[in-house]
mmCIF file of all heavy atoms in Angstrom:
data_model
loop_
_atom_site.group_PDB
_atom_site.id
_atom_site.type_symbol
_atom_site.label_atom_id
_atom_site.label_comp_id
_atom_site.label_asym_id
_atom_site.label_seq_id
_atom_site.Cartn_x
_atom_site.Cartn_y
_atom_site.Cartn_z
ATOM 1 N N ALA A 520 25.041 2.686 -5.733
ATOM 2 C CA ALA A 520 24.261 2.389 -6.932
ATOM 3 C C ALA A 520 24.046 3.676 -7.724
ATOM 4 O O ALA A 520 23.529 4.657 -7.193
ATOM 5 C CB ALA A 520 22.922 1.766 -6.558
ATOM 6 N N THR A 521 24.465 3.681 -8.974
ATOM 7 C CA THR A 521 24.336 4.865 -9.823
ATOM 8 C C THR A 521 23.260 4.641 -10.880
ATOM 9 O O THR A 521 22.871 3.509 -11.171
ATOM 10 C CB THR A 521 25.672 5.208 -10.500
ATOM 11 O OG1 THR A 521 26.076 4.123 -11.341
ATOM 12 C CG2 THR A 521 26.745 5.473 -9.466
ATOM 13 N N TYR A 522 22.812 5.720 -11.446
ATOM 14 C CA TYR A 522 21.784 5.694 -12.484
ATOM 15 C C TYR A 522 22.021 6.882 -13.409
ATOM 16 O O TYR A 522 22.753 7.817 -13.063
ATOM 17 C CB TYR A 522 20.384 5.773 -11.863
ATOM 18 C CG TYR A 522 20.288 6.801 -10.762
ATOM 19 C CD1 TYR A 522 20.103 8.147 -11.049
ATOM 20 C CD2 TYR A 522 20.424 6.430 -9.434
ATOM 21 C CE1 TYR A 522 20.048 9.102 -10.046
ATOM 22 C CE2 TYR A 522 20.361 7.373 -8.417
ATOM 23 C CZ TYR A 522 20.177 8.692 -8.733
ATOM 24 O OH TYR A 522 20.123 9.628 -7.740
ATOM 25 N N LYS A 523 21.408 6.843 -14.563
ATOM 26 C CA LYS A 523 21.565 7.922 -15.536
ATOM 27 C C LYS A 523 20.310 8.781 -15.590
ATOM 28 O O LYS A 523 19.183 8.266 -15.597
ATOM 29 C CB LYS A 523 21.865 7.354 -16.923
ATOM 30 C CG LYS A 523 23.309 6.944 -17.132
ATOM 31 C CD LYS A 523 23.610 6.676 -18.601
ATOM 32 C CE LYS A 523 25.097 6.417 -18.815
ATOM 33 N NZ LYS A 523 25.427 6.201 -20.244
ATOM 34 N N LEU A 524 20.525 10.086 -15.607
ATOM 35 C CA LEU A 524 19.445 11.048 -15.822
ATOM 36 C C LEU A 524 19.584 11.558 -17.250
ATOM 37 O O LEU A 524 20.552 12.239 -17.585
ATOM 38 C CB LEU A 524 19.545 12.196 -14.815
ATOM 39 C CG LEU A 524 19.513 11.797 -13.343
ATOM 40 C CD1 LEU A 524 19.685 13.019 -12.455
ATOM 41 C CD2 LEU A 524 18.222 11.076 -13.000
ATOM 42 N N ASP A 525 18.627 11.198 -18.100
ATOM 43 C CA ASP A 525 18.720 11.495 -19.531
ATOM 44 C C ASP A 525 17.831 12.655 -19.926
ATOM 45 O O ASP A 525 16.812 12.933 -19.272
ATOM 46 C CB ASP A 525 18.337 10.259 -20.366
ATOM 47 C CG ASP A 525 19.201 9.056 -20.066
ATOM 48 O OD1 ASP A 525 20.437 9.197 -20.143
ATOM 49 O OD2 ASP A 525 18.638 8.003 -19.751
ATOM 50 N N THR A 526 18.197 13.307 -20.993
ATOM 51 C CA THR A 526 17.382 14.356 -21.594
ATOM 52 C C THR A 526 17.651 14.397 -23.084
ATOM 53 O O THR A 526 18.742 14.011 -23.538
ATOM 54 C CB THR A 526 17.687 15.729 -20.969
ATOM 55 O OG1 THR A 526 16.828 16.719 -21.559
ATOM 56 C CG2 THR A 526 19.128 16.125 -21.199
ATOM 57 N N ALA A 527 16.675 14.815 -23.852
ATOM 58 C CA ALA A 527 16.829 14.909 -25.312
ATOM 59 C C ALA A 527 15.951 16.045 -25.825
ATOM 60 O O ALA A 527 14.815 16.212 -25.370
ATOM 61 C CB ALA A 527 16.455 13.596 -25.991
ATOM 62 N N VAL A 528 16.478 16.818 -26.763
ATOM 63 C CA VAL A 528 15.733 17.924 -27.362
ATOM 64 C C VAL A 528 15.947 17.894 -28.867
ATOM 65 O O VAL A 528 16.970 17.406 -29.359
ATOM 66 C CB VAL A 528 16.182 19.294 -26.803
ATOM 67 C CG1 VAL A 528 15.804 19.427 -25.352
ATOM 68 C CG2 VAL A 528 17.675 19.496 -26.991
ATOM 69 N N SER A 529 14.976 18.407 -29.588
ATOM 70 C CA SER A 529 15.081 18.505 -31.045
ATOM 71 C C SER A 529 14.149 19.599 -31.533
ATOM 72 O O SER A 529 13.202 19.979 -30.846
ATOM 73 C CB SER A 529 14.729 17.171 -31.716
ATOM 74 O OG SER A 529 13.387 16.816 -31.432
ATOM 75 N N PHE A 530 14.430 20.121 -32.716
ATOM 76 C CA PHE A 530 13.551 21.116 -33.329
ATOM 77 C C PHE A 530 13.728 21.053 -34.840
ATOM 78 O O PHE A 530 14.646 20.409 -35.366
ATOM 79 C CB PHE A 530 13.837 22.524 -32.793
ATOM 80 C CG PHE A 530 15.281 22.929 -32.847
ATOM 81 C CD1 PHE A 530 15.859 23.407 -34.020
ATOM 82 C CD2 PHE A 530 16.066 22.841 -31.705
ATOM 83 C CE1 PHE A 530 17.182 23.777 -34.060
ATOM 84 C CE2 PHE A 530 17.394 23.211 -31.741
ATOM 85 C CZ PHE A 530 17.964 23.682 -32.910
ATOM 86 N N ASP A 531 12.813 21.721 -35.543
ATOM 87 C CA ASP A 531 12.829 21.714 -37.004
ATOM 88 C C ASP A 531 14.076 22.420 -37.521
ATOM 89 O O ASP A 531 14.494 23.450 -36.997
ATOM 90 C CB ASP A 531 11.573 22.406 -37.541
ATOM 91 C CG ASP A 531 11.266 21.997 -38.966
ATOM 92 O OD1 ASP A 531 12.121 22.236 -39.846
ATOM 93 O OD2 ASP A 531 10.181 21.448 -39.194
ATOM 94 N N LYS A 532 14.651 21.853 -38.593
ATOM 95 C CA LYS A 532 15.886 22.400 -39.134
ATOM 96 C C LYS A 532 15.708 23.811 -39.686
ATOM 97 O O LYS A 532 16.667 24.577 -39.809
ATOM 98 C CB LYS A 532 16.417 21.469 -40.232
ATOM 99 C CG LYS A 532 17.786 21.865 -40.774
ATOM 100 C CD LYS A 532 18.289 20.887 -41.823
ATOM 101 C CE LYS A 532 18.688 19.588 -41.175
ATOM 102 N NZ LYS A 532 19.356 18.679 -42.148
ATOM 103 N N LYS A 533 14.477 24.195 -40.002
ATOM 104 C CA LYS A 533 14.254 25.524 -40.554
ATOM 105 C C LYS A 533 14.612 26.616 -39.555
ATOM 106 O O LYS A 533 14.998 27.716 -39.953
ATOM 107 C CB LYS A 533 12.794 25.677 -40.999
ATOM 108 C CG LYS A 533 11.778 25.650 -39.859
ATOM 109 C CD LYS A 533 10.361 25.797 -40.396
ATOM 110 C CE LYS A 533 9.337 25.801 -39.257
ATOM 111 N NZ LYS A 533 7.949 25.931 -39.756
ATOM 112 N N TYR A 534 14.474 26.324 -38.234
ATOM 113 C CA TYR A 534 14.857 27.320 -37.243
ATOM 114 C C TYR A 534 16.363 27.558 -37.252
ATOM 115 O O TYR A 534 16.830 28.673 -36.999
ATOM 116 C CB TYR A 534 14.409 26.878 -35.848
ATOM 117 C CG TYR A 534 12.912 26.838 -35.680
ATOM 118 C CD1 TYR A 534 12.245 25.649 -35.411
ATOM 119 C CD2 TYR A 534 12.151 27.998 -35.794
ATOM 120 C CE1 TYR A 534 10.869 25.607 -35.261
ATOM 121 C CE2 TYR A 534 10.766 27.969 -35.645
ATOM 122 C CZ TYR A 534 10.135 26.775 -35.378
ATOM 123 O OH TYR A 534 8.771 26.742 -35.232
ATOM 124 N N ALA A 535 17.126 26.498 -37.534
ATOM 125 C CA ALA A 535 18.575 26.649 -37.624
ATOM 126 C C ALA A 535 18.976 27.427 -38.866
ATOM 127 O O ALA A 535 19.860 28.283 -38.822
ATOM 128 C CB ALA A 535 19.243 25.281 -37.617
ATOM 129 N N SER A 536 18.318 27.148 -39.994
ATOM 130 C CA SER A 536 18.662 27.852 -41.235
ATOM 131 C C SER A 536 18.283 29.325 -41.166
ATOM 132 O O SER A 536 18.903 30.153 -41.848
ATOM 133 C CB SER A 536 17.959 27.175 -42.426
ATOM 134 O OG SER A 536 16.542 27.221 -42.266
ATOM 135 N N ARG A 537 17.301 29.662 -40.336
ATOM 136 C CA ARG A 537 16.888 31.060 -40.178
ATOM 137 C C ARG A 537 17.579 31.750 -39.000
ATOM 138 O O ARG A 537 17.232 32.889 -38.660
ATOM 139 C CB ARG A 537 15.371 31.118 -39.965
ATOM 140 C CG ARG A 537 14.568 30.624 -41.167
ATOM 141 C CD ARG A 537 13.085 30.604 -40.842
ATOM 142 N NE ARG A 537 12.301 30.056 -41.933
ATOM 143 C CZ ARG A 537 10.986 29.833 -41.883
ATOM 144 N NH1 ARG A 537 10.326 30.113 -40.750
ATOM 145 N NH2 ARG A 537 10.343 29.338 -42.917
ATOM 146 N N SER A 538 18.537 31.054 -38.394
ATOM 147 C CA SER A 538 19.303 31.614 -37.260
ATOM 148 C C SER A 538 18.393 32.044 -36.113
ATOM 149 O O SER A 538 18.579 33.110 -35.516
ATOM 150 C CB SER A 538 20.169 32.788 -37.729
ATOM 151 O OG SER A 538 21.082 32.370 -38.713
ATOM 152 N N ARG A 539 17.420 31.211 -35.807
ATOM 153 C CA ARG A 539 16.524 31.490 -34.686
ATOM 154 C C ARG A 539 17.213 31.070 -33.382
ATOM 155 O O ARG A 539 16.999 29.985 -32.853
ATOM 156 C CB ARG A 539 15.196 30.753 -34.870
ATOM 157 C CG ARG A 539 14.331 31.300 -35.991
ATOM 158 C CD ARG A 539 13.768 32.665 -35.618
ATOM 159 N NE ARG A 539 12.983 32.609 -34.403
ATOM 160 C CZ ARG A 539 11.689 32.274 -34.373
ATOM 161 N NH1 ARG A 539 11.057 31.979 -35.499
ATOM 162 N NH2 ARG A 539 11.025 32.269 -33.232
ATOM 163 N N LEU A 540 18.042 31.949 -32.866
ATOM 164 C CA LEU A 540 18.800 31.635 -31.667
ATOM 165 C C LEU A 540 17.901 31.477 -30.444
ATOM 166 O O LEU A 540 18.277 30.802 -29.481
ATOM 167 C CB LEU A 540 19.845 32.722 -31.414
ATOM 168 C CG LEU A 540 20.936 32.870 -32.486
ATOM 169 C CD1 LEU A 540 21.913 33.971 -32.102
ATOM 170 C CD2 LEU A 540 21.671 31.556 -32.692
#
Side-chain angles (χ1 to χ4, degrees):
T521 62
Y522 44 82
K523 280 192 174 182
L524 302 177
D525 302 306
T526 182
V528 293
S529 62
F530 51 81
D531 201 300
K532 186 178 288 188
K533 66 180 181 181
Y534 293 117
S536 61
R537 296 175 184 175
S538 300
R539 290 290 302 275
L540 296 181

